[in-house]
Amino acid sequence: FADRVDLNNGIYTFQWRKVNEKARLISSKENSYIRFQWEEDADSNYYFQFSIVVHELTGDVSLIVEDFALDCDVEDSVNFWDTNIAKLRHALGC
């Protein structure tokens, strides 16, 4: 979802154009989910997570994005994820 991601000493730096945000990997399960916490949220229980869910009957695959946002930031967060998921769908040819 970022233009570039670098890993250095356990810190992931996500880059969009000239904006950098740093996060730690706090939990993951192979082929299931990955959970990060932004450095600015280190003193909270906030995180963002990507989960992959495969429907048992149809085999359809879903990407679930969970993210915490303050009430004043919800619209911006929804737009951010909608834009990035649209880019992913385009890259996958969906």
Side-chain angles (χ1 to χ4, degrees):
F1 70 99
D3 297 328
R4 179 184 169 113
V5 180
D6 293 313
L7 174 60
N8 189 11
N9 294 324
I11 301 293
Y12 290 80
T13 302
F14 297 91
Q15 182 178 42
W16 300 268
R17 295 188 180 117
K18 295 181 180 181
V19 175
N20 292 327
E21 294 287 341
K22 296 179 184 285
R24 288 191 182 279
L25 174 67
I26 57 173
S27 181
S28 67
K29 182 177 179 184
E30 189 172 336
N31 297 319
S32 181
Y33 75 92
I34 190 164
R35 182 180 294 175
F36 293 94
Q37 185 176 53
W38 296 119
E39 278 194 333
E40 65 191 40
D41 293 331
D43 294 333
S44 72
N45 292 325
Y46 297 167
Y47 62 86
F48 64 101
Q49 176 173 301
F50 304 104
S51 302
I52 298 171
V53 178
V54 180
H55 191 279
E56 282 185 33
L57 295 176
T58 65
D60 289 345
V61 178
S62 298
L63 171 64
I64 309 296
V65 178
E66 295 177 63
D67 192 6
F68 288 86
L70 299 173
D71 287 342
C72 60
D73 296 331
V74 169
E75 186 175 340
D76 288 340
S77 292
V78 168
N79 288 336
F80 172 80
W81 289 116
D82 284 348
T83 299
N84 282 285
I85 289 170
K87 288 179 184 178
L88 175 63
R89 290 175 56 108
H90 177 75
L92 294 173
C94 299

